[in-house]
Structure formats: structure tokens, C-alpha cells
Amino acid sequence: NSSLELDQATRLDVLEKACVKMKTSGHTDAFIRVAVEQGVKSFAGKVRRSRLDVKDPGYHPLYPKAGWRRDEKSKEKVLKKGNWFKGKDDSKTWNEIPKGAGGMRRMKPFLKAGSKGNNNKKAVTVIFVPSTKGSLLVKSLRDDEE
């Protein structure tokens, strides 16, 4: 990553110093070669994208300032919550989804729990009972209620 105003000799000098630092740090020659090649390719790609027209969707400034594309990013973030399902295949409906094993329709846990007893008692209040060994406290409270 260097200024475009630097001449080629200065850029090569910077790369040479970086290679020497990596070599003295114990990196292998193969690793240094791959790292430098990837760095040069990456910087060339950044330069290419920065030279595109500003209205081109692939445009990205070489040195973006803080807040670049802030409006677009915030708009995308807000729209992502409501548009995540769009673009999916509309030909599938809920009826085509296979049911569970045995073909039985599974009840949701809260419906299953509410169907016990079916007595017409309405709750007046809610009480949270601390857990005890063998649920003795809860059982005794239920017995007293009946």
C-alpha cells in the first residue's frame, strides 16, 4: 500500500525492505513470495477499482474517508430486516412442506401443556416456587389448592 505518486524504484525499495524484515523474522522464502505477490495483486485491484467511474457499482476510492457510503450502508441495514425473504421461490407453499414422521401433526409445546386437565379454573395470580428435592413444595401447594 503506497502512494501512486511514488516512482517504481521507491516502491521496489519498500518491498525489498519488507522482504528483508520478513526473512529476519523467520519466514520461509516461499511464504514471503506468496505474501508479496498477494499484496501486489491486492493493491493493483484497489487501484483499478479507484479508477472506475464514481457511479459504477464497483467503484471504491483508494483511500476512503471515514463515513464513505454511510448512507447506503445504513439504508441496506434497515432494509435487510424486511427484505431477507424476498427473492425466494414463491412456488412452494406451506402445504407442500412434509409433515413429521408418522404423518401426525405435532402440537406446539405450549398448546400441549395447556391441554392437560381441561378444568375451567382461571388463574388469579402467578407464583414462582423455588425448586426443592422431589418437587415437594410444588406438590404440597397444588394439594392445598385443590
Side-chain angles (χ1 to χ4, degrees), residues 8 11 20 31 67 80 102 123 145:
Q8 191 68 18
R11 286 187 192 172
V20 169
F31 176 80
K80 189 189 295 186
E145 182 183 349

Side-chain angles (χ1 to χ4, degrees), residues 51-117:
R51 290 187 174 157
L52 293 174
D53 187 33
V54 177
K55 295 178 182 172
D56 191 297
Y59 171 77
H60 193 283
L62 188 59
Y63 305 109
K65 292 184 173 31
W68 179 74
R69 278 185 28 111
R70 183 178 296 154
D71 296 337
E72 291 90 4
K73 285 183 178 181
S74 61
K75 183 179 178 182
E76 287 173 9
K77 183 177 178 181
V78 169
L79 291 176
K80 189 189 295 186
K81 292 179 184 176
N83 293 340
W84 63 269
F85 54 88
K86 293 188 179 175
K88 305 274 186 203
D89 187 12
D90 291 335
S91 64
K92 294 184 179 180
T93 62
W94 288 103
N95 296 332
E96 296 173 3
I97 296 175
K99 292 186 173 140
M104 293 181 60
R105 187 171 186 174
R106 293 184 179 174
M107 294 178 68
K108 294 182 180 176
F110 62 88
L111 295 176
K112 192 185 298 180
S115 63
K116 287 185 186 175

Side-chain angles (χ1 to χ4, degrees), residues 32-53:
I32 295 170
R33 174 184 295 276
V34 170
V36 170
E37 286 176 355
Q38 287 179 348
V40 169
K41 285 179 186 177
S42 174
F43 184 70
K46 286 181 180 183
V47 170
R48 183 185 51 79
R49 286 190 302 273
S50 71
R51 290 187 174 157
L52 293 174
D53 187 33

